[in-house]
Amino acid sequence: MHGRCGARGASSSSVEFDDKGWPCWPDREDLSAEFIRLLAAAQEGGATVSECWLTLSRINLASVSSWSEEWIKTAELNEARAELSFQNGNLITARRNWLRAMTYFHAAARPLESLDDLLTCAVDGMRRCATNLLKSRVPAGEVLSIPWTEDVCLQAYFLPSAFRDNGPVIVCIGEPGSYKEELIAKYAGHANERGLSLLAVDLLGTQVALPPERLGQRFETAMSRVLDFLSEKPGVDNTRIAIVADAWSSSLVARAAASDARFAAAVCDAGIWDSHERSFFFRHAAGHEQTGCLEECNSISRSIDCPLLVTAGEGGWLLPGALTEFGNKLGNIHHDASLILFRRAETAAMQGHLDNPTLANEVIFDWLEDRLRLRTGLS
Protein backbone atom coordinates (compact mmCIF):
# COMPACT_ATOMS: atom_id res chain seq x y z
CA MET A 1 0.00 0.00 0.00
CA HIS A 2 1.15 3.52 -0.64
CA GLY A 3 0.83 6.30 1.90
CA ARG A 4 0.21 5.98 5.63
CA CYS A 5 -2.85 4.59 7.34
CA GLY A 6 -4.47 5.83 10.49
CA ALA A 7 -3.27 4.85 13.95
CA ARG A 8 -5.76 2.15 14.89
CA GLY A 9 -4.69 -1.44 14.35
CA ALA A 10 -6.25 -4.40 12.59
CA SER A 11 -8.00 -5.62 15.73
CA SER A 12 -10.91 -3.30 14.93
CA SER A 13 -13.39 -3.67 12.12
CA SER A 14 -13.27 0.12 11.65
CA VAL A 15 -11.77 0.97 8.31
CA GLU A 16 -8.88 3.42 7.97
CA PHE A 17 -7.82 5.38 4.89
CA ASP A 18 -4.37 6.12 3.52
CA ASP A 19 -3.34 9.52 2.16
CA LYS A 20 -4.70 8.56 -1.29
CA GLY A 21 -8.16 7.81 0.13
CA TRP A 22 -7.87 4.01 -0.11
CA PRO A 23 -9.17 1.83 2.74
CA CYS A 24 -6.43 0.07 4.67
CA TRP A 25 -5.38 -1.60 7.91
CA PRO A 26 -1.80 -0.92 9.09
CA ASP A 27 -1.14 -4.51 10.16
CA ARG A 28 -2.88 -6.21 7.24
CA GLU A 29 -1.46 -5.01 3.96
CA ASP A 30 -2.68 -8.22 2.28
CA LEU A 31 -6.32 -7.54 3.18
CA SER A 32 -5.99 -3.85 2.36
CA ALA A 33 -4.81 -4.78 -1.13
CA GLU A 34 -7.54 -7.38 -1.48
CA PHE A 35 -10.27 -4.86 -0.68
CA ILE A 36 -8.89 -2.44 -3.26
CA ARG A 37 -8.90 -5.34 -5.73
CA LEU A 38 -12.55 -6.01 -4.91
CA LEU A 39 -13.56 -2.40 -5.48
CA ALA A 40 -11.69 -2.41 -8.79
CA ALA A 41 -13.46 -5.64 -9.80
CA ALA A 42 -16.77 -3.79 -9.59
CA GLN A 43 -15.76 -1.85 -12.72
CA GLU A 44 -15.72 -5.12 -14.67
CA GLY A 45 -18.91 -6.53 -13.14
CA GLY A 46 -16.99 -8.78 -10.75
CA ALA A 47 -18.47 -7.13 -7.65
CA THR A 48 -20.80 -4.38 -6.55
CA VAL A 49 -19.50 -1.49 -4.46
CA SER A 50 -22.44 -1.67 -2.05
CA GLU A 51 -21.93 -5.37 -1.37
CA CYS A 52 -18.23 -4.78 -0.77
CA TRP A 53 -18.84 -2.11 1.85
CA LEU A 54 -21.71 -4.02 3.46
CA THR A 55 -19.58 -7.14 3.79
CA LEU A 56 -16.69 -5.13 5.18
CA SER A 57 -18.96 -3.63 7.85
CA ARG A 58 -19.57 -7.14 9.23
CA ILE A 59 -15.92 -8.18 9.42
CA ASN A 60 -14.02 -8.24 12.71
CA LEU A 61 -10.32 -8.36 11.87
CA ALA A 62 -9.53 -9.45 15.42
CA SER A 63 -11.03 -12.81 14.45
CA VAL A 64 -8.96 -15.20 12.34
CA SER A 65 -12.03 -16.49 10.54
CA SER A 66 -14.27 -13.41 10.19
CA TRP A 67 -12.86 -12.13 6.86
CA SER A 68 -13.35 -15.45 5.08
CA GLU A 69 -16.71 -16.20 6.72
CA GLU A 70 -18.29 -12.91 5.70
CA TRP A 71 -17.08 -13.01 2.10
CA ILE A 72 -18.33 -16.58 1.80
CA LYS A 73 -21.77 -15.44 3.00
CA THR A 74 -21.87 -12.70 0.36
CA ALA A 75 -20.64 -15.12 -2.29
CA GLU A 76 -23.32 -17.67 -1.42
CA LEU A 77 -26.05 -15.04 -1.70
CA ASN A 78 -24.89 -14.20 -5.21
CA GLU A 79 -24.57 -17.86 -6.12
CA ALA A 80 -28.14 -18.51 -4.96
CA ARG A 81 -29.41 -15.61 -7.10
CA ALA A 82 -27.46 -17.02 -10.05
CA GLU A 83 -29.01 -20.46 -9.68
CA LEU A 84 -32.53 -19.03 -9.39
CA SER A 85 -32.00 -16.84 -12.45
CA PHE A 86 -30.66 -19.81 -14.39
CA GLN A 87 -33.68 -21.91 -13.49
CA ASN A 88 -35.94 -19.08 -14.69
CA GLY A 89 -34.06 -18.84 -17.97
CA ASN A 90 -32.48 -15.44 -17.17
CA LEU A 91 -29.00 -16.40 -18.33
CA ILE A 92 -27.46 -12.93 -18.38
CA THR A 93 -28.39 -12.28 -14.76
CA ALA A 94 -27.21 -15.77 -13.82
CA ARG A 95 -23.81 -15.16 -15.38
CA ARG A 96 -23.45 -11.76 -13.71
CA ASN A 97 -24.21 -13.24 -10.28
CA TRP A 98 -21.89 -16.22 -10.78
CA LEU A 99 -19.13 -13.78 -11.72
CA ARG A 100 -19.65 -11.75 -8.55
CA ALA A 101 -19.90 -14.88 -6.41
CA MET A 102 -16.63 -16.11 -7.89
CA THR A 103 -14.92 -12.82 -6.95
CA TYR A 104 -16.23 -12.93 -3.38
CA PHE A 105 -15.19 -16.56 -2.92
CA HIS A 106 -11.76 -15.53 -4.23
CA ALA A 107 -11.57 -12.79 -1.57
CA ALA A 108 -12.44 -15.35 1.10
CA ALA A 109 -9.53 -17.54 0.00
CA ARG A 110 -6.89 -14.80 0.15
CA PRO A 111 -5.80 -14.59 3.83
CA LEU A 112 -2.68 -16.70 4.34
CA GLU A 113 -3.92 -17.82 7.75
CA SER A 114 -7.32 -19.01 6.44
CA LEU A 115 -8.63 -22.04 8.32
CA ASP A 116 -8.51 -25.18 6.20
CA ASP A 117 -12.27 -25.68 6.11
CA LEU A 118 -12.92 -22.06 5.10
CA LEU A 119 -10.21 -22.17 2.44
CA THR A 120 -11.66 -25.38 1.02
CA CYS A 121 -15.16 -23.87 1.00
CA ALA A 122 -13.93 -20.71 -0.72
CA VAL A 123 -11.88 -22.47 -3.40
CA ASP A 124 -14.59 -25.06 -4.09
CA GLY A 125 -17.19 -22.29 -4.39
CA MET A 126 -14.99 -20.21 -6.64
CA ARG A 127 -14.40 -23.11 -9.02
CA ARG A 128 -18.04 -24.21 -8.91
CA CYS A 129 -19.21 -20.73 -9.92
CA ALA A 130 -16.57 -20.51 -12.65
CA THR A 131 -17.67 -23.84 -14.09
CA ASN A 132 -21.34 -22.81 -14.10
CA LEU A 133 -20.44 -19.47 -15.65
CA LEU A 134 -18.52 -21.17 -18.47
CA LYS A 135 -21.30 -23.65 -19.14
CA SER A 136 -23.87 -20.84 -19.42
CA ARG A 137 -21.82 -18.82 -21.94
CA VAL A 138 -22.58 -18.68 -25.65
CA PRO A 139 -20.46 -20.33 -26.91
CA ALA A 140 -19.85 -22.43 -23.82
CA GLY A 141 -16.45 -22.41 -22.16
CA GLU A 142 -14.41 -25.46 -21.20
CA VAL A 143 -12.64 -26.69 -18.07
CA LEU A 144 -9.31 -28.12 -19.24
CA SER A 145 -6.49 -30.22 -17.89
CA ILE A 146 -3.37 -29.76 -20.04
CA PRO A 147 -0.60 -32.39 -19.68
CA TRP A 148 2.68 -30.98 -18.40
CA THR A 149 4.94 -33.40 -16.54
CA GLU A 150 4.46 -37.09 -15.92
CA ASP A 151 2.61 -36.36 -12.69
CA VAL A 152 1.29 -32.82 -13.13
CA CYS A 153 -1.36 -31.30 -15.40
CA LEU A 154 -2.04 -27.59 -15.81
CA GLN A 155 -5.59 -26.61 -14.88
CA ALA A 156 -7.18 -24.06 -17.21
CA TYR A 157 -10.38 -22.48 -18.47
CA PHE A 158 -10.96 -21.86 -22.18
CA LEU A 159 -13.44 -19.16 -23.20
CA PRO A 160 -13.92 -19.29 -26.98
CA SER A 161 -14.70 -16.19 -28.99
CA ALA A 162 -18.27 -15.62 -30.06
CA PHE A 163 -17.19 -13.76 -33.22
CA ARG A 164 -14.85 -15.99 -35.18
CA ASP A 165 -13.60 -19.51 -35.81
CA ASN A 166 -9.94 -20.26 -36.40
CA GLY A 167 -9.13 -17.11 -34.46
CA PRO A 168 -6.52 -15.78 -32.04
CA VAL A 169 -6.14 -16.78 -28.39
CA ILE A 170 -4.83 -14.82 -25.42
CA VAL A 171 -3.12 -17.00 -22.82
CA CYS A 172 -3.36 -15.35 -19.36
CA ILE A 173 -1.03 -16.57 -16.64
CA GLY A 174 -1.39 -15.81 -12.95
CA GLU A 175 1.58 -15.75 -10.60
CA PRO A 176 2.32 -18.80 -8.42
CA GLY A 177 -0.29 -19.00 -5.71
CA SER A 178 -2.91 -17.02 -7.63
CA TYR A 179 -6.12 -18.38 -9.11
CA LYS A 180 -7.23 -18.67 -12.71
CA GLU A 181 -10.74 -17.67 -11.66
CA GLU A 182 -9.52 -14.15 -10.95
CA LEU A 183 -8.19 -13.97 -14.52
CA ILE A 184 -11.69 -14.60 -15.88
CA ALA A 185 -13.07 -11.65 -13.93
CA LYS A 186 -10.23 -9.37 -15.02
CA TYR A 187 -9.75 -10.28 -18.67
CA ALA A 188 -12.71 -12.19 -20.13
CA GLY A 189 -14.80 -9.11 -20.93
CA HIS A 190 -11.92 -7.34 -22.69
CA ALA A 191 -11.13 -10.42 -24.75
CA ASN A 192 -14.72 -11.24 -25.65
CA GLU A 193 -15.55 -7.72 -26.85
CA ARG A 194 -12.61 -7.88 -29.26
CA GLY A 195 -13.34 -11.35 -30.62
CA LEU A 196 -10.41 -12.93 -28.78
CA SER A 197 -10.56 -16.35 -27.18
CA LEU A 198 -9.10 -16.56 -23.69
CA LEU A 199 -7.18 -19.33 -21.95
CA ALA A 200 -6.74 -18.73 -18.20
CA VAL A 201 -4.12 -21.03 -16.68
CA ASP A 202 -3.30 -21.98 -13.08
CA LEU A 203 0.33 -22.59 -12.21
CA LEU A 204 0.08 -23.58 -8.58
CA GLY A 205 -3.16 -22.28 -7.13
CA THR A 206 -3.81 -23.67 -3.66
CA GLN A 207 -2.21 -27.05 -4.24
CA VAL A 208 1.51 -26.71 -4.83
CA ALA A 209 2.15 -29.30 -7.52
CA LEU A 210 5.82 -28.30 -7.77
CA PRO A 211 7.95 -26.36 -5.29
CA PRO A 212 8.74 -22.80 -6.45
CA GLU A 213 12.39 -23.56 -7.21
CA ARG A 214 11.39 -26.38 -9.58
CA LEU A 215 8.63 -24.25 -11.08
CA GLY A 216 11.14 -21.60 -12.14
CA GLN A 217 13.22 -24.21 -13.90
CA ARG A 218 10.30 -25.84 -15.71
CA PHE A 219 7.92 -22.98 -16.41
CA GLU A 220 9.17 -22.58 -19.98
CA THR A 221 8.25 -26.20 -20.70
CA ALA A 222 4.79 -25.61 -19.22
CA MET A 223 4.09 -22.78 -21.66
CA SER A 224 5.41 -24.87 -24.54
CA ARG A 225 2.90 -27.57 -23.56
CA VAL A 226 0.15 -24.94 -23.60
CA LEU A 227 1.19 -23.90 -27.11
CA ASP A 228 1.28 -27.53 -28.23
CA PHE A 229 -2.23 -28.03 -26.85
CA LEU A 230 -3.67 -24.90 -28.48
CA SER A 231 -1.99 -25.63 -31.80
CA GLU A 232 -3.97 -28.86 -32.03
CA LYS A 233 -7.26 -27.40 -30.78
CA PRO A 234 -9.93 -26.87 -33.47
CA GLY A 235 -10.90 -23.25 -34.02
CA VAL A 236 -7.53 -21.82 -32.95
CA ASP A 237 -5.17 -19.95 -35.27
CA ASN A 238 -1.82 -21.19 -33.99
CA THR A 239 -0.02 -18.25 -35.61
CA ARG A 240 -1.94 -15.78 -33.41
CA ILE A 241 -1.42 -16.93 -29.83
CA ALA A 242 -0.37 -14.18 -27.41
CA ILE A 243 0.63 -14.41 -23.75
CA VAL A 244 -0.24 -12.00 -20.94
CA ALA A 245 1.30 -11.99 -17.46
CA ASP A 246 -1.02 -10.95 -14.66
CA ALA A 247 0.50 -8.31 -12.32
CA TRP A 248 4.05 -9.31 -13.42
CA SER A 249 5.54 -9.86 -9.98
CA SER A 250 8.06 -12.25 -11.53
CA SER A 251 9.77 -12.80 -14.88
CA LEU A 252 8.28 -16.26 -15.47
CA VAL A 253 6.17 -15.22 -18.46
CA ALA A 254 9.00 -13.17 -19.96
CA ARG A 255 11.28 -16.21 -19.82
CA ALA A 256 8.59 -18.29 -21.50
CA ALA A 257 8.21 -15.72 -24.31
CA ALA A 258 11.99 -15.68 -24.75
CA SER A 259 12.24 -19.47 -24.94
CA ASP A 260 9.43 -20.21 -27.43
CA ALA A 261 9.27 -18.24 -30.67
CA ARG A 262 5.72 -19.37 -31.44
CA PHE A 263 4.11 -16.60 -29.38
CA ALA A 264 2.70 -13.88 -31.64
CA ALA A 265 2.84 -11.18 -28.93
CA ALA A 266 3.70 -10.89 -25.25
CA VAL A 267 2.60 -8.58 -22.43
CA CYS A 268 4.97 -9.12 -19.53
CA ASP A 269 7.79 -7.56 -17.50
CA ALA A 270 10.47 -8.23 -20.17
CA GLY A 271 12.79 -9.59 -17.47
CA ILE A 272 12.57 -6.51 -15.22
CA TRP A 273 12.04 -8.58 -12.07
CA ASP A 274 15.14 -10.69 -12.74
CA SER A 275 17.19 -7.56 -13.48
CA HIS A 276 15.92 -5.85 -10.33
CA GLU A 277 16.78 -8.85 -8.15
CA ARG A 278 20.27 -9.11 -9.62
CA SER A 279 20.89 -5.38 -9.24
CA PHE A 280 19.62 -5.49 -5.65
CA PHE A 281 22.02 -8.27 -4.67
CA PHE A 282 24.98 -6.58 -6.36
CA ARG A 283 24.24 -3.26 -4.63
CA HIS A 284 23.67 -4.97 -1.29
CA ALA A 285 27.01 -6.78 -1.56
CA ALA A 286 28.71 -3.46 -2.33
CA GLY A 287 27.03 -1.75 0.62
CA HIS A 288 24.74 0.51 -1.44
CA GLU A 289 21.22 1.12 -0.14
CA GLN A 290 19.58 2.54 -3.28
CA THR A 291 16.51 0.63 -4.40
CA GLY A 292 14.24 0.63 -7.41
CA CYS A 293 17.03 0.74 -10.00
CA LEU A 294 17.56 -1.48 -13.04
CA GLU A 295 20.41 -2.78 -15.11
CA GLU A 296 20.49 -2.52 -18.85
CA CYS A 297 18.10 -4.76 -20.77
CA ASN A 298 19.05 -8.31 -19.91
CA SER A 299 19.28 -11.52 -21.90
CA ILE A 300 15.55 -12.21 -21.41
CA SER A 301 14.37 -8.99 -23.05
CA ARG A 302 16.97 -9.40 -25.80
CA SER A 303 15.70 -12.90 -26.57
CA ILE A 304 12.00 -12.05 -27.01
CA ASP A 305 11.40 -11.79 -30.76
CA CYS A 306 7.64 -11.21 -30.83
CA PRO A 307 5.98 -7.80 -30.30
CA LEU A 308 6.41 -6.90 -26.65
CA LEU A 309 4.51 -4.61 -24.28
CA VAL A 310 5.46 -3.70 -20.72
CA THR A 311 3.03 -1.70 -18.56
CA ALA A 312 3.98 -0.30 -15.18
CA GLY A 313 2.72 2.15 -12.58
CA GLU A 314 4.45 5.25 -11.28
CA GLY A 315 3.58 4.20 -7.74
CA GLY A 316 4.91 0.64 -8.06
CA TRP A 317 8.06 -0.86 -6.57
CA LEU A 318 10.45 0.56 -9.18
CA LEU A 319 11.48 4.18 -9.61
CA PRO A 320 9.69 5.85 -12.56
CA GLY A 321 12.99 7.16 -13.92
CA ALA A 322 14.48 3.67 -13.95
CA LEU A 323 11.41 2.32 -15.78
CA THR A 324 11.52 5.08 -18.38
CA GLU A 325 15.22 4.45 -19.00
CA PHE A 326 14.60 0.71 -19.29
CA GLY A 327 11.80 1.37 -21.79
CA ASN A 328 14.07 3.57 -23.92
CA LYS A 329 16.76 0.88 -24.00
CA LEU A 330 14.15 -1.76 -24.78
CA GLY A 331 12.91 0.24 -27.76
CA ASN A 332 16.47 0.54 -29.08
CA ILE A 333 17.16 -3.20 -29.12
CA HIS A 334 13.73 -4.56 -30.13
CA HIS A 335 11.90 -4.03 -33.42
CA ASP A 336 8.48 -3.73 -31.72
CA ALA A 337 8.66 -3.14 -27.99
CA SER A 338 7.33 -0.41 -25.75
CA LEU A 339 6.93 0.41 -22.06
CA ILE A 340 3.84 2.36 -20.96
CA LEU A 341 4.08 4.06 -17.58
CA PHE A 342 0.80 5.02 -15.87
CA ARG A 343 1.09 8.17 -13.77
CA ARG A 344 -0.60 8.73 -10.42
CA ALA A 345 -2.64 11.54 -11.95
CA GLU A 346 -4.43 9.06 -14.23
CA THR A 347 -4.59 6.07 -11.80
CA ALA A 348 -3.58 2.47 -12.64
CA ALA A 349 -0.33 3.60 -11.01
CA MET A 350 -0.07 1.04 -8.19
CA GLN A 351 1.95 -2.14 -8.53
CA GLY A 352 0.10 -4.45 -10.91
CA HIS A 353 -2.34 -1.58 -11.69
CA LEU A 354 -4.19 -2.64 -8.56
CA ASP A 355 -6.01 0.68 -8.23
CA ASN A 356 -7.48 0.69 -11.76
CA PRO A 357 -6.92 -2.50 -13.78
CA THR A 358 -9.65 -1.48 -16.21
CA LEU A 359 -7.61 1.42 -17.56
CA ALA A 360 -4.50 -0.72 -17.98
CA ASN A 361 -6.43 -3.60 -19.57
CA GLU A 362 -7.99 -1.29 -22.15
CA VAL A 363 -4.48 -0.27 -23.23
CA ILE A 364 -3.21 -3.86 -23.15
CA PHE A 365 -6.07 -5.34 -25.17
CA ASP A 366 -6.06 -2.51 -27.71
CA TRP A 367 -2.37 -3.25 -28.23
CA LEU A 368 -3.08 -6.98 -28.58
CA GLU A 369 -5.89 -6.25 -31.02
CA ASP A 370 -3.55 -4.17 -33.17
CA ARG A 371 -0.69 -6.68 -33.07
CA LEU A 372 -2.99 -9.57 -33.96
CA ARG A 373 -4.54 -7.43 -36.73
CA LEU A 374 -8.12 -7.56 -35.52
CA ARG A 375 -11.10 -5.31 -35.69
CA THR A 376 -13.95 -6.10 -33.33
CA GLY A 377 -16.46 -8.49 -34.83
CA LEU A 378 -15.21 -8.02 -38.40
CA SER A 379 -12.15 -10.18 -39.06
Side-chain angles (χ1 to χ4, degrees):
M1 296 289 296
H2 301 281
R4 299 190 56 174
C5 298
R8 285 176 294 185
S11 61
S12 170
S13 60
S14 299
V15 72
E16 303 290 340
F17 296 88
D18 67 12
D19 56 10
K20 301 294 187 298
W22 287 108
C24 67
W25 301 271
D27 300 328
R28 293 307 303 264
E29 186 173 348
D30 59 334
L31 300 186
S32 301
E34 184 60 29
F35 192 69
I36 294 175
R37 189 177 290 112
L38 281 159
L39 294 178
Q43 300 172 172
E44 306 287 359
T48 66
V49 173
S50 294
E51 284 181 317
C52 289
W53 285 110
L54 179 61
T55 305
L56 185 64
S57 72
R58 301 195 300 256
I59 294 173
N60 177 12
L61 291 181
S63 166
V64 174
S65 61
S66 181
W67 174 278
S68 296
E69 288 172 344
E70 295 303 331
W71 287 113
I72 287 173
K73 290 177 184 176
T74 302
E76 289 176 341
L77 284 173
N78 280 265
E79 185 178 18
R81 286 198 297 265
E83 292 171 352
L84 180 60
S85 297
F86 183 77
Q87 293 171 6
N88 292 335
N90 304 125
L91 299 185
I92 293 175
T93 299
R95 287 194 290 268
R96 290 169 65 92
N97 277 273
W98 273 318
L99 181 63
R100 294 198 296 270
M102 187 172 64
T103 302
Y104 300 140
F105 277 127
H106 176 271
R110 294 304 292 178
L112 295 175
E113 73 277 17
S114 293
L115 302 177
D116 288 345
D117 58 337
L118 291 174
L119 179 61
T120 298
C121 178
V123 173
D124 287 350
M126 180 170 57
R127 292 176 176 168
R128 182 174 62 249
C129 290
T131 300
N132 287 330
L133 174 65
L134 264 62
K135 288 180 179 178
S136 68
R137 289 181 80 249
V138 180
E142 302 176 57
V143 180
L144 301 174
S145 184
I146 302 173
W148 179 11
T149 66
E150 291 182 357
D151 55 343
V152 177
C153 289
L154 296 168
Q155 303 306 309
Y157 296 132
F158 183 70
L159 288 73
S161 166
F163 295 116
R164 55 174 60 80
D165 196 13
N166 195 33
V169 177
I170 307 301
V171 180
C172 291
I173 309 294
E175 294 297 328
S178 68
Y179 301 90
K180 61 186 179 298
E181 289 77 16
E182 183 184 8
L183 303 180
I184 293 177
K186 289 179 67 174
Y187 299 123
H190 294 279
N192 185 63
E193 289 173 345
R194 292 168 173 82
L196 299 164
S197 295
L198 181 74
L199 182 75
V201 182
D202 255 347
L203 290 182
L204 297 180
T206 54
Q207 298 179 351
V208 180
L210 290 176
E213 60 272 14
R214 286 185 62 199
L215 175 72
Q217 298 167 359
R218 306 183 71 168
F219 181 78
E220 292 87 346
T221 65
M223 293 302 97
S224 291
R225 297 294 179 272
V226 169
L227 282 169
D228 294 341
F229 177 86
L230 288 174
S231 296
E232 298 176 0
K233 187 170 181 57
V236 171
D237 182 349
N238 60 15
T239 68
R240 294 193 289 174
I241 299 174
I243 188 168
V244 174
D246 180 59
W248 62 273
S249 54
S250 78
S251 292
L252 290 175
V253 168
R255 291 205 296 270
S259 66
D260 199 316
R262 289 179 291 174
F263 285 112
V267 181
C268 61
D269 83 326
I272 286 178
W273 180 273
D274 281 4
S275 289
H276 176 63
E277 285 188 324
R278 186 163 49 251
S279 296
F280 174 82
F281 287 123
F282 285 154
R283 290 193 306 275
H284 183 72
H288 300 304
E289 297 298 326
Q290 186 180 10
T291 60
C293 296
L294 288 171
E295 296 178 344
E296 293 184 359
C297 296
N298 59 18
S299 59
I300 296 176
S301 55
R302 294 177 183 276
S303 300
I304 298 175
D305 292 328
C306 65
L308 173 62
L309 175 65
V310 181
T311 65
E314 186 179 32
W317 47 264
L318 283 175
L319 296 174
L323 287 166
T324 300
E325 183 178 356
F326 184 91
N328 292 335
K329 293 175 180 177
L330 189 65
N332 290 333
I333 67 169
H334 198 291
H335 71 282
D336 185 3
S338 57
L339 186 149
I340 297 175
L341 182 63
F342 289 86
R343 302 292 181 177
R344 289 185 177 90
E346 62 178 331
T347 71
M350 286 185 178
Q351 180 64 29
H353 312 297
L354 178 67
D355 53 324
N356 193 350
T358 299
L359 183 62
N361 289 337
E362 287 171 350
V363 170
I364 289 169
F365 277 84
D366 283 350
W367 182 87
L368 288 166
E369 187 177 19
D370 290 339
R371 294 312 181 276
L372 298 175
R373 292 185 172 83
L374 296 173
R375 288 296 178 266
T376 305
L378 296 178
S379 60

